[in-house]
Amino acid sequence: GSGGSSAMTQNLHIAKMGLNYRFGGPAKDTPSSASAASDEPPYVPGWEFDVGTRFWYSSGRYQNQNGSPNVLVSRLTYRDVVGQSGELFARADAPFGVFVKGFVGAGGLSRGKMYDEDWGLSSTLASVPTSYEVTDSDLNGTLHYITGDLGYNVMRGRDHKVGLFAGYNRYETTMNAMGCSQLVANTSGVCSPPLAGGTTTISQNDAWQSVRLGVSAEAMIWDRLKVAGDLAWLPYVKYDGLDIHRVRNIYFPIQGTGKGVQAELILTYMATEKFGIGIGGRYWSMWSNYAAQTTDQSNVFEVETDRYGVFLQASYRFMAGR
């Protein structure tokens, strides 16, 4: 038959953790020796509260496919899905080491592409004359998310803190494929002739709920310059999705479980002792180990998503007694 095109992608997730120890210096670091080396009084932990707001510009990808690995039936791929969202965040640190932190955000998905692939179509049906077809559509939609963590600082000083935490994340998206056109050489089918961009052809509603286990750290690396980061492993992820083919009025409710990773790194300039402005990067990735159509458990799916981008933030710190 006529020639076609194909593409291959590969994702690799790497997480590294380390611990450094410096030999030398005083044999014992006491409050008196610390005071002698600095004009500042000995550090005594107190209550600290950080609040702020962020703007996150991100891009993402989502894919679900069903059928066995060697005999695919269909695949939906949402690529380069650009999102813009606003956030509120907060963190509270207690003198006895416990901390609570979290953020909530919402925004819109402004552009992207959705590719709808189907294999093994019957050539006896007038509407699907080829055994394989692929269509593309433009995208819009929304995203919402919330994260909350409870942890304990295993190390804490005047200019640094390192803690372990457990928490929860919920990430929701609604993606609408607008219009469609055929990318293979056939003359009929759902998208032949092409459907106008004002027509919603497919909607994808997804909710990912995750348990987070990770490490959080921050340190002053220069005068007024602070770096902070979070790294979380998601040992349990629950997925709920609804794939709606609106043109054919077909619904695929999907549920599954899986795993994932989430990480972010932030560089903050402390304009004053309490007010800071920063820039950061964030990466989320989640995937299913098992997922199936709720109304037909024999219809098994593989589902995965990721979102990554940069954000700007402004924060203010409250310190008890200061």
Side-chain angles (χ1 to χ4, degrees):
S2 60
S5 62
S6 62
M8 179 181 294
T9 61
Q10 177 172 301
N11 294 319
L12 179 64
H13 308 287
I14 300 177
K16 295 183 178 181
M17 297 179 63
L19 181 66
N20 295 331
Y21 183 82
R22 182 176 180 178
F23 295 91
K28 184 177 181 181
D29 187 11
T30 64
S32 59
S33 62
S35 299
S38 172
D39 294 334
E40 295 182 291
Y43 173 70
V44 178
W47 286 96
E48 296 179 2
F49 303 91
D50 290 271
V51 296
T53 184
R54 295 188 183 116
F55 171 76
W56 186 24
Y57 183 87
S58 62
S59 182
R61 178 179 178 272
Y62 168 88
Q63 183 179 89
N64 75 46
Q65 64 182 31
N66 70 321
S68 66
N70 297 322
V71 185
L72 290 175
V73 176
S74 68
R75 177 164 60 203
L76 298 178
T77 304
Y78 297 74
R79 294 178 56 185
D80 303 321
V81 185
V82 173
Q84 301 176 57
S85 57
E87 298 178 16
L88 297 174
F89 66 90
R91 172 168 173 152
D93 288 81
F96 41 85
V98 173
F99 65 87
V100 179
K101 63 183 181 69
F103 58 87
V104 59
L109 303 174
S110 57
R111 66 176 185 268
K113 281 288 186 179
M114 191 279 289
Y115 298 92
D116 182 1
E117 299 173 90
D118 293 285
W119 287 265
L121 301 177
S122 173
S123 59
T124 61
L125 299 177
S127 62
V128 282
T130 63
S131 60
Y132 171 79
E133 71 172 2
V134 54
T135 66
D136 74 338
S137 306
D138 293 324
L139 291 177
N140 63 38
T142 60
L143 73 162
H144 306 82
Y145 48 91
I146 185 170
T147 296
D149 299 316
L150 175 65
Y152 181 79
N153 288 312
V154 295
M155 290 188 288
R156 185 178 179 186
R158 190 187 310 277
D159 59 357
H160 70 276
K161 62 179 71 170
V162 179
L164 304 176
F165 65 81
Y168 166 83
N169 171 262
R170 181 180 178 91
Y171 170 52
E172 297 182 52
T173 59
T174 296
M175 295 178 289
N176 300 308
M178 310 299 295
C180 67
S181 59
Q182 287 279 359
L183 299 181
V184 293
N186 58 12
T187 58
S188 64
V190 173
C191 297
S192 294
L195 295 178
T199 303
T200 303
T201 55
I202 295 179
S203 293
Q204 184 72 43
N205 303 322
D206 297 303
W208 302 79
Q209 299 184 76
S210 308
V211 174
R212 289 163 44 93
L213 299 176
V215 59
S216 175
E218 68 175 54
M220 296 296 297
I221 58 175
W222 200 258
D223 182 35
R224 297 182 179 271
L225 200 60
K226 178 176 69 174
V227 64
D230 273 12
L231 176 63
W233 166 243
L234 313 181
Y236 177 80
V237 176
K238 184 178 185 298
Y239 170 76
D240 290 280
L242 179 60
D243 175 3
I244 308 172
H245 286 59
R246 297 188 180 277
V247 175
R248 293 182 290 168
N249 198 30
I250 302 176
Y251 298 79
F252 296 96
I254 308 168
Q255 288 187 341
T257 57
K259 292 179 172 60
V261 293
Q262 294 180 337
E264 66 181 38
L265 186 66
I266 310 164
L267 185 65
T268 302
Y269 175 75
M270 300 303 297
T272 70
E273 185 182 14
K274 298 181 179 181
F275 176 74
I277 54 176
I279 184 171
R282 178 183 292 154
Y283 175 74
W284 291 351
S285 181
M286 290 158 280
W287 58 90
S288 66
N289 292 331
Y290 174 81
Q293 184 177 335
T294 58
T295 54
D296 180 5
Q297 291 295 314
S298 65
N299 194 14
V300 178
F301 286 77
E302 292 183 10
V303 189
E304 60 185 52
T305 190
D306 56 45
R307 181 149 294 275
Y308 49 89
V310 297
F311 56 81
L312 300 175
Q313 74 172 39
S315 61
Y316 191 86
R317 169 166 291 186
F318 301 87
M319 294 173 282
R322 299 179 65 181

